[in-house]
Amino acid sequence: MGKMCRSFLLFLLISLFVSFGFAKIRFTKIQSNDRPIIPFDEFWFTHNGRLELNVSQITLSDNNPNLNFNNVGFFLCTRNAWLHVLQQLADAEISCVLHSSLVKIVSNFKTLNGKSSFNSVLPVKNADRYTLLFANCLSQVKVSMTVRSAMYNLKGNQNHRDYLSSDETFLPKLYFLLSLVYFTLAGIWIYVLYKKRLTVLRIHFFMLIVVVLKALNLVSKAEDTLYIQQTGTAHGWDVPFYIFSSLKGIMLFTLIILIGTGWSLLKPYLQDKEKMVLTIVIPLQVVANIALVIFDETSPFSPYRVTWKSLFLLVDIICCCAMLLQIIWSIKNLREAAQTDGKAAVNLMKLTLFKQYFVMVICYIYSTLVAVYGLETITWGKYPWSSVLVGELATLVFYVFTGYKFKPQTYNPYFTIDDEEEEEEEEADDVEQLKLHDEEKIGQ
């Protein structure tokens, strides 16, 4: 009972901490495992759901034919029902979860009859979110097997299979619509660059690349989820998604740091500290994207999934701290400049503009990192489209704000400040020349 409770707590922890990937056809290999409960996948069925289960290469560490194989098998259970099942075990009403009337038995090993494989199809008529689990109530008996699971809903008059949970069916359309928005933004930005071509800088082309990569990332994600919805597999669309996602992440963090340093806007070069920040952020983003790939391709209830998710979040936090570190350096430089060159007002204006942008950066980080995962936890993943929509809307607002703030124009706030500095320097030079001219006249 204690071991079963620990397995449930691990299952609950993973459920809270991670967002489940799209349900699809999954292949899982179990090797000499004696856990009493092994969770496999989670799916939100409609009133016309199906579970296909194909289990092969079944072996037990104990070949005793007198074992009670009714205590070993697969079942479906909702989270609420599982809490009641645990209470039944605690009250000694049942000795094995497979004996509870609150779970849906898919198949137990009693049906093997000496075989090492079986196939099962279970109709699900009650709409709810179910978890597919394996129970082994035989003490000290290890199980090895290969499991293929496919969960889907039948829809339409022709009963087409939909391999996405009922709460995820809207996601392909959502990703596609968002990709159209970003392609439209890219077109508008190209038009702005053409109209303002005399004042276009390298950073503006960098912004265009980031927007195009974001649009391509969303298109590949839309195709990825669409193929999963129709066939249960991504058909290779997960590869371009990971590629564009990685490139977009690296380029976006690089863009934010470059804008913060004033590269191309204020100066055509980077200082050593700024180069150091980039050399830290870019490799970390590569690591983060590798962790994201492994996270997405790992079984939802794998203990390693939490590790890779933690690594992904940790790397993102480090990258955010690197950007905040850049803010500290910039503030320090502006304060020192104000004390030495006497241009406190000008430098304070720079500092104000700098803070405006990075306050937006912090809001963007909070919305896409903290708010999204918080929303997933609060809703228990019941409405995955809501967290996706919140994150994508926050990203869209950030992109639009960045483009508006730093669009090519003659009197960009950054350039206005520089022009004022140049005018002050020119006035100072004129004063010096007048003084020299007067001194020469006096000397004559």
Side-chain angles (χ1 to χ4, degrees):
M1 174 62 189
K3 195 172 182 180
M4 189 171 293
C5 287
R6 287 194 296 272
S7 297
F8 170 71
L9 288 175
L10 177 61
F11 154 65
L12 187 63
L13 173 64
I14 296 174
S15 302
L16 285 170
F17 191 73
V18 305
S19 57
F20 289 94
F22 301 114
K24 50 187 175 183
I25 299 173
R26 291 192 182 276
F27 293 87
T28 309
K29 195 169 183 65
I30 304 297
Q31 289 282 1
S32 299
N33 200 314
D34 63 349
R35 282 187 293 167
I37 296 294
I38 302 177
F40 281 88
D41 212 341
E42 196 170 44
F43 192 79
W44 196 289
F45 289 101
T46 63
H47 294 287
N48 200 11
R50 293 288 186 278
L51 164 64
E52 289 183 3
L53 188 65
N54 310 103
V55 185
S56 59
Q57 299 176 349
I58 301 173
T59 58
L60 301 177
S61 60
D62 189 343
N63 295 322
N64 185 355
N66 296 321
L67 292 174
N68 186 359
F69 292 109
N70 286 321
N71 291 338
V72 186
F74 292 86
F75 66 96
L76 288 175
C77 187
T78 64
R79 292 179 182 177
N80 290 333
W82 185 245
L83 295 174
H84 294 291
V85 171
L86 285 179
Q87 188 61 46
Q88 288 179 333
L89 288 168
D91 296 339
E93 295 179 15
I94 56 174
S95 59
C96 180
V97 294
L98 295 173
H99 301 163
S100 175
S101 60
L102 299 175
V103 303
K104 293 180 181 293
I105 305 297
V106 179
S107 182
N108 57 43
F109 281 15
K110 188 71 174 179
T111 60
L112 288 177
N113 294 323
K115 296 182 293 184
S116 62
S117 64
F118 69 87
N119 300 318
S120 178
V121 178
L122 178 70
V124 180
K125 298 300 182 181
N126 298 324
D128 207 337
R129 187 167 192 163
Y130 289 89
T131 303
L132 174 64
L133 303 105
F134 173 77
N136 177 13
C137 299
L138 299 178
S139 178
Q140 298 180 345
V141 175
K142 296 181 179 180
V143 180
S144 298
M145 57 186 170
T146 301
V147 180
R148 175 194 178 274
S149 61
M151 291 188 278
Y152 54 87
N153 293 309
L154 299 175
K155 62 179 184 178
N157 295 328
Q158 297 181 348
N159 287 334
H160 292 297
R161 295 186 177 187
D162 186 345
Y163 287 92
L164 289 181
S165 288
S166 60
D167 54 339
E168 295 173 338
T169 54
F170 180 65
L171 288 179
K173 294 179 182 178
L174 177 61
Y175 286 126
F176 182 72
L177 289 174
L178 288 170
S179 69
L180 291 180
V181 172
Y182 279 98
F183 276 123
T184 303
L185 284 180
I188 294 173
W189 191 248
I190 291 172
Y191 175 77
V192 170
L193 296 184
Y194 176 76
K195 293 291 289 184
K196 304 288 185 178
R197 55 188 177 275
L198 297 179
T199 56
V200 170
L201 301 171
R202 286 175 292 175
I203 196 73
H204 297 129
F205 292 108
F206 205 104
M207 294 179 187
L208 176 62
I209 293 172
V210 171
V211 174
V212 172
L213 285 174
K214 178 63 178 177
L216 293 174
N217 177 42
L218 288 169
V219 167
S220 57
K221 186 61 176 177
E223 289 294 326
D224 180 37
T225 53
L226 181 62
Y227 272 96
I228 290 174
Q229 182 179 31
Q230 295 174 348
T231 66
T233 59
H235 286 273
W237 275 101
D238 50 343
V239 176
F241 166 69
Y242 291 134
I243 292 174
F244 290 130
S245 180
S246 300
L247 291 175
K248 184 264 301 177
I250 293 170
M251 297 291 278
L252 179 60
F253 272 94
T254 304
L255 175 65
I256 293 173
I257 292 173
L258 290 178
I259 290 178
T261 61
W263 176 81
S264 184
L265 295 170
L266 295 176
K267 57 189 179 183
Y269 60 88
L270 292 174
Q271 297 177 355
D272 291 338
K273 286 183 178 180
E274 296 162 354
K275 291 178 181 178
M276 183 180 70
V277 172
L278 287 175
T279 56
I280 293 174
V281 169
I282 293 176
L284 283 177
Q285 276 299 299
V286 174
V287 173
N289 285 284
I290 292 173
L292 179 62
V293 172
I294 298 175
F295 169 78
D296 284 342
E297 296 301 318
T298 304
S299 175
F301 290 102
S302 170
Y304 301 107
R305 189 175 172 91
V306 175
T307 303
W308 288 109
K309 183 69 170 183
S310 302
L311 178 61
F312 175 72
L313 292 175
L314 176 63
V315 171
D316 257 10
I317 291 171
I318 293 174
C319 292
C320 295
C321 289
M323 291 190 298
L324 294 176
L325 185 62
Q326 183 61 52
I327 296 176
I328 295 172
W329 285 341
S330 299
I331 292 173
K332 180 182 177 183
N333 291 336
L334 288 171
R335 284 177 178 172
E336 291 177 352
Q339 293 173 358
T340 56
D341 59 14
K343 299 177 182 177
V346 173
N347 287 307
L348 285 175
M349 288 176 66
K350 276 187 178 182
L351 184 58
T352 301
L353 291 171
F354 190 81
K355 283 182 175 179
Q356 285 177 356
Y357 181 65
F358 272 91
V359 165
M360 191 64 186
V361 172
I362 293 171
C363 292
Y364 165 70
I365 293 170
Y366 176 82
S367 300
T368 56
L369 208 59
V370 180
V372 169
Y373 291 116
L375 186 60
E376 289 179 355
T377 302
I378 293 171
T379 61
W380 280 69
K382 187 176 181 180
Y383 306 105
W385 59 266
S386 62
S387 57
V388 171
L389 185 61
V390 168
E392 292 298 338
L393 286 178
T395 303
L396 179 61
V397 170
F398 177 71
Y399 277 47
V400 171
F401 176 86
T402 303
Y404 176 78
K405 194 76 175 177
F406 300 102
K407 63 181 179 293
Q409 55 184 354
T410 307
Y411 294 104
N412 186 285
Y414 270 120
F415 305 118
T416 302
I417 293 174
D418 280 352
D419 291 342
E420 290 174 358
E421 289 181 352
E422 291 177 4
E423 289 175 2
E424 289 179 4
E425 291 176 359
E426 289 176 0
E427 289 177 1
D429 291 338
D430 291 340
V431 171
E432 289 292 330
Q433 289 178 2
L434 287 172
K435 286 182 178 179
L436 290 173
H437 184 66
D438 292 339
E439 289 177 357
E440 289 176 0
K441 282 185 176 181
I442 294 171
Q444 291 176 357

